[in-house]
Amino acid sequence: LYQRRVRKAVVSTQSTGKSIDIKVHFPKRKDVACVRTICSHINNMFTGVLQGYRYKMKSAYAHFPININIINDNTHVEVHNFLGEKFVRRVNLLPGVTCKPTGNKDEIMVEGNDVENVSRSAALIQQSTTVKNKDIRKFLDGVYVSEKTHIQELED
């Protein structure tokens, strides 16, 4: 079951056939913005269920090769040898998100149905490899999102 909770929304929804009607009576400016946001959430939910979301991430390094291990049934990521450090960075992926190697060198895929969980998991992996106490213009090492696609494309 894939659902989303919207708080403080003064809207009424009704599904008729192949469409979902979202109505607001006597809307103010923020209510109209809320309707558009709810429509975007519903479209993202349909896209996630029908196609899925895939983020490809590449590791970039200058000297020390970054090793990425995927453990615990594709739900946890370990980053080894970042800037030559012995510290192992562990990232727990959010619910409904899996991580797989692509087959290419230094590249992984983060996949799932919820665009927010997939993007937040990719952001957690990227943030685990931020450079501290050095000039970030010079030290560009890290794991970065290289491509955002769908798991399977719809056929018209």
Side-chain angles (χ1 to χ4, degrees), residues 39-154:
C39 289
S40 297
H41 284 311
I42 291 172
N43 283 336
N44 286 340
M45 289 169 69
F46 276 118
T47 303
V49 170
L50 294 176
Q51 296 176 301
Y53 292 99
R54 173 184 292 155
Y55 283 26
K56 288 186 181 178
M57 302 185 77
K58 284 188 177 182
S59 61
Y61 51 86
H63 186 270
F64 296 103
I66 299 172
N67 297 325
I68 301 173
N69 292 338
I70 302 164
I71 57 173
N72 289 353
D73 201 25
N74 298 336
T75 59
H76 299 287
V77 175
E78 286 185 346
V79 180
H80 295 271
N81 201 29
F82 176 68
L83 293 178
E85 298 174 353
K86 298 293 182 189
F87 179 72
V88 177
R89 289 157 171 80
R90 292 178 178 86
V91 177
N92 299 329
L93 301 180
L94 296 173
V97 179
T98 60
C99 186
K100 300 174 187 170
T102 60
N104 293 342
K105 184 177 183 241
D106 301 327
E107 191 175 52
I108 59 172
M109 293 184 296
V110 182
E111 297 178 338
N113 288 340
D114 190 358
V115 67
E116 288 192 9
N117 284 351
V118 172
S119 60
R120 282 180 55 202
S121 296
L124 288 172
I125 295 171
Q126 180 175 340
Q127 288 173 355
S128 72
T129 59
T130 54
V131 177
K132 305 278 197 288
N133 300 325
K134 291 181 176 59
D135 187 3
I136 59 172
R137 297 170 295 179
K138 177 71 176 165
F139 292 89
L140 300 173
D141 295 10
V143 182
Y144 299 103
V145 174
S146 62
E147 186 180 351
K148 298 178 184 179
T149 59
H150 298 292
I151 295 173
Q152 60 184 10
E153 297 297 326
L154 281 181

Side-chain angles (χ1 to χ4, degrees), residues 8 12 23 29 62 83 102 123 132 138 156:
K8 295 186 180 179
S12 61
K23 297 180 183 177
R29 185 174 181 163
L83 293 178
T102 60
K132 305 278 197 288
K138 177 71 176 165
D156 291 333

